[in-house]
Amino acid sequence: MLGAQGRMGSTVANAVEGAADMKLVGTVDAGEDRSRLDEAEVAVDFTHPEAVMDNLRYLIEHDIRAVVGTTGFTEDRLETVRGWLAGKPGLGVLIAPNFALGAVLAMRFAQQAARFYASAEVIELHHNRKADAPSGTAAHTARLLARARREAGLEPGPDATTSEVDGARGALIDDVRVHAVRLPGLVAHEEILFGGEGETLTIRHDSMDRTSFMPGVLLGVREVLRRPGLTVGLENVLEL
Ligand SMILES: NC(=O)C1=CN([C@@H]2O[C@H](COP(=O)(O)OP(=O)(O)OC[C@H]3O[C@@H](n4cnc5c(N)ncnc54)[C@H](OP(=O)(O)O)[C@@H]3O)[C@@H](O)[C@H]2O)C=CC1
Ligand SMILES: O=C(O)C1=N[C@H](C(=O)O)C[C@H](O)C1
């Protein structure tokens, strides 16, 4: 477990210890020696966007499969990981922006809706200790929406804004606007809003507790053992 003292890492360590078919063989926190993971069949990374690529390179070099929940994966980063894996046939890496079943389903439902609505925006709401904004899930959702909209031949819907305070309309990811809220008391939440003629559709997912991510992480650990190469997104493991 990389990032074992973190909010997610400590929850994953408990979940692994409670799983009859798994054994926690080592933990690594910031600045600690990663060689204590060398006996592991699978390493799980919930660290920091600035640390995760270096961790992944180490794991792949040492023939250790990886399940990664850490955010910050751009298409360039994914391509780099594919390059590292190219020389390692049989070795698997799973990277998922969100391991909660409901979040994965919400993204799939949003993808289905996107082809019917030119206008769509994403609001993500998280605890105020979160390092990155917008969330990896929101960025992934925005890219999925943009792709589904393009494939349906839709242009982004009209927006009459001509004057705005910087940031008021959120960040543009691909061509979808994403808004980030940070408040104590929240865990991880996302709304995907669609607007049409006289109606709106809202798809919302709420993680009330970090245990919501655990069935997905444990499934990922089991599945990465039999999936060589890079898998991106739990939807591919769930075969949605
Ligand atoms: N995919 C998913 O389903 C989910 C993904 N996440 C993502 O997981 C990541 C972690 O989130 P969270 O647990 O809340 O964050 P935390 O800050 O609570 O935990 C991260 C931990 O990683 C440690 N760390 C930093 N660098 C390294 C390193 N090089 N090697 C080992 N450990 C390191 C940190 O130590 P220190 O504090 O000393 O820097 C800290 O203990 C984020 O990117 C978050 O967005 C979160 C929830 C679900
Ligand atoms: O930092 C978090 O807490 C979370 N991070 C992931 C993200 O950025 O999408 C997943 C979930 O939203 C919780």
Side-chain angles (χ1 to χ4, degrees):
M1 181 71 228
L2 287 141
Q5 288 192 5
R7 286 175 288 269
M8 280 299 290
S10 53
T11 315
V12 173
N14 284 339
V16 167
E17 293 199 294
D21 58 339
M22 290 182 202
K23 187 174 167 208
L24 185 64
V25 297
T27 64
V28 174
D29 277 288
E32 290 182 340
D33 183 3
R34 288 177 293 209
S35 69
R36 61 178 75 166
L37 300 181
D38 288 358
E39 299 306 311
E41 281 183 281
V42 180
V44 179
D45 187 302
F46 281 92
T47 57
H48 191 282
E50 280 168 24
V52 66
M53 288 301 278
D54 194 43
N55 286 341
L56 256 177
R57 188 176 46 207
Y58 178 92
L59 296 171
I60 293 170
E61 273 173 13
H62 290 81
D63 298 317
I64 304 168
R65 297 168 192 87
V67 171
V68 179
T70 308
T71 48
F73 281 90
T74 56
E75 199 39 57
D76 280 357
R77 282 188 168 200
L78 294 174
E79 223 20 69
T80 301
V81 176
R82 284 188 193 100
W84 292 337
L85 281 169
K88 298 280 183 176
L91 196 69
V93 170
L94 167 65
I95 299 175
N98 202 308
F99 280 97
L101 174 63
V104 177
L105 287 172
M107 285 188 268
R108 175 49 52 93
F109 299 151
Q111 244 180 315
Q112 289 173 337
R115 68 192 178 99
F116 300 105
Y117 292 94
S119 298
E121 303 205 6
V122 178
I123 306 175
E124 56 93 334
L125 309 91
H126 281 82
H127 59 96
N128 60 335
R129 311 285 295 279
K130 184 165 174 57
D132 55 324
S135 71
T137 309
H140 191 63
T141 307
R143 291 188 193 105
L144 293 175
L145 291 178
R147 192 169 70 206
R149 186 156 69 184
R150 268 195 303 275
E151 284 172 2
L154 293 175
E155 294 291 325
D159 177 351
T161 312
T162 52
S163 161
E164 65 179 286
V165 174
D166 200 24
R169 293 287 292 114
L172 261 185
I173 302 221
D174 209 326
D175 57 16
V176 175
R177 292 194 180 272
V178 178
H179 311 262
V181 176
R182 295 289 175 266
L183 289 173
L186 294 172
V187 178
H189 317 261
E190 181 174 73
E191 286 188 0
I192 306 115
L193 297 93
F194 298 93
E197 208 49 57
E199 62 160 353
T200 65
L201 168 67
T202 303
I203 298 170
R204 180 174 171 120
H205 174 257
D206 297 279
S207 273
M208 316 293 199
D209 190 279
R210 290 183 180 82
T211 52
S212 61
F213 304 111
M214 296 307 114
V217 173
L218 296 186
L219 177 67
V221 170
R222 292 181 186 108
E223 288 290 320
V224 79
L225 289 163
R226 57 188 191 87
R227 282 174 191 266
L230 177 62
T231 304
V232 181
L234 194 65
E235 59 274 24
N236 295 303
V237 175
L238 295 168
E239 291 171 13
L240 287 183

